Amino acid sequence: KAGVTQTPRYLIKTRGQQVTLSCSPISGHRSVSWYQQTPGQGLQFLFEYFSETQRNKGNFPGRFSGRQFSNSRSEMNVSTLELGDSALYLCASSSGTAGTEAFFGQGTRLTVV
Amino acid sequence: DQQVKQNSPSLSVQEGRISILNCDYTNSMFDYFLWYKKYPAEGPTFLISISSIKDKNEDGRFTVFLNKSAKHLSLHIVPSQPGDSAVYFCAASSGGYQKVTFGTGTKLQVIP
């Protein structure tokens, strides 16, 4: 069973640009969550999609958005990039059922210069 | 507002001894708790979980204890092995949804 795949693994962007990150969940999983990891802040929840609908949202500005496709693949978009957006972005997939754990991808390391 | 807190950023333990990682939470609505382990340059890996209806869950060398009245949980690793050296994240969720709130992590170093 293939794991969670995130692309690209590494990305360098300039301030003001926008970026799109992709996540392919484990086959059969309908829930995809996105997290931002920065040093000292742990994993900060961005949003969760389930069956193409955003079900939960964290406390991030509107520059951070996402979507989920009918095949459960998800994309995250960050517009007007700021230096502080440099982080490891992690995607996690799960069945979406209460009490089940999520499986994480290896993440996309975004550097904004 | 950090709803899940791991107050020890790091912990060093001798190989073979017990490692105890602690986690406190403030949201009484949390009803499911998880521990994840993370190596550098990898995504977190699920380790063990516990539902709020239990106070202990065991899986091999890993045991999680939950004290709801104190809003505290802990992860015990016995015996600790050098391969256990990683960052451990405590996480919690509520209401059956997948909005999981993570702590800031504790870096465990197991010394051979």
Side-chain angles (χ1 to χ4, degrees):
Chain A
K1 201 174 190 181
V4 180
T5 304
Q6 289 189 247
T7 56
R9 288 292 311 278
Y10 302 93
L11 205 50
I12 299 176
K13 288 285 188 179
T14 305
R15 269 182 304 175
Q17 286 187 311
Q18 74 157 15
V19 67
T20 299
L21 312 181
S22 179
C23 172
S24 293
I26 291 171
S27 177
H29 282 186
R30 296 164 65 189
S31 170
V32 173
S33 300
W34 288 90
Y35 293 84
Q36 180 195 66
Q37 185 186 11
T38 53
Q41 291 295 314
L43 278 73
Q44 302 290 311
F45 174 79
L46 280 153
F47 29 66
E48 184 234 353
Y49 285 86
F50 182 82
S51 294
E52 301 180 66
T53 301
Q54 188 180 86
R55 191 163 65 169
N56 285 289
K57 189 177 188 306
N59 298 321
F60 277 80
R63 299 186 297 108
F64 293 82
S65 63
R67 59 178 175 168
Q68 187 180 34
F69 302 95
S70 58
N71 61 359
S72 293
R73 190 178 72 85
S74 177
E75 288 182 346
M76 188 190 92
N77 184 277
V78 187
S79 62
T80 320
L81 284 165
E82 300 176 359
L83 294 178
D85 296 332
S86 295
L88 179 67
Y89 289 88
L90 290 158
C91 159
S93 87
S94 75
S95 64
T97 305
T100 57
E101 69 272 15
F103 296 86
F104 283 82
Q106 289 187 290
T108 295
R109 172 70 66 183
L110 171 65
T111 302
V112 182
V113 298
Chain B
D1 174 29
Q2 193 70 29
Q3 296 187 51
V4 178
K5 301 177 185 178
Q6 293 177 259
N7 293 318
S8 298
S10 63
L11 176 68
S12 288
V13 172
Q14 287 291 132
E15 181 179 3
R17 298 287 186 97
I18 184 172
S19 294
I20 300 176
L21 295 98
N22 293 303
C23 178
D24 297 296
Y25 61 95
T26 57
N27 188 341
S28 57
M29 298 301 291
F30 286 145
D31 56 10
Y32 192 64
F33 304 88
L34 312 95
W35 284 93
Y36 281 84
K37 174 173 152 179
K38 186 179 185 301
Y39 293 116
E42 294 184 13
T45 304
F46 170 74
L47 204 55
I48 192 168
S49 63
I50 188 167
S51 161
S52 60
I53 62 173
K54 294 185 175 182
D55 54 20
K56 177 183 174 181
N57 188 26
E58 201 169 350
D59 183 3
R61 296 187 297 114
F62 302 91
T63 302
V64 56
F65 295 93
L66 175 63
N67 182 333
K68 281 178 294 184
S69 60
K71 294 192 177 69
H72 177 84
L73 66 155
S74 61
L75 174 68
H76 293 210
I77 306 173
V78 184
S80 301
Q81 299 174 353
D84 296 330
S85 297
V87 177
Y88 289 79
F89 289 98
C90 168
S93 67
S94 65
Y97 291 106
Q98 295 297 310
K99 180 179 180 180
V100 179
T101 302
F102 281 81
T104 51
T106 296
K107 185 175 183 179
L108 173 66
Q109 182 184 21
V110 180
I111 304 164

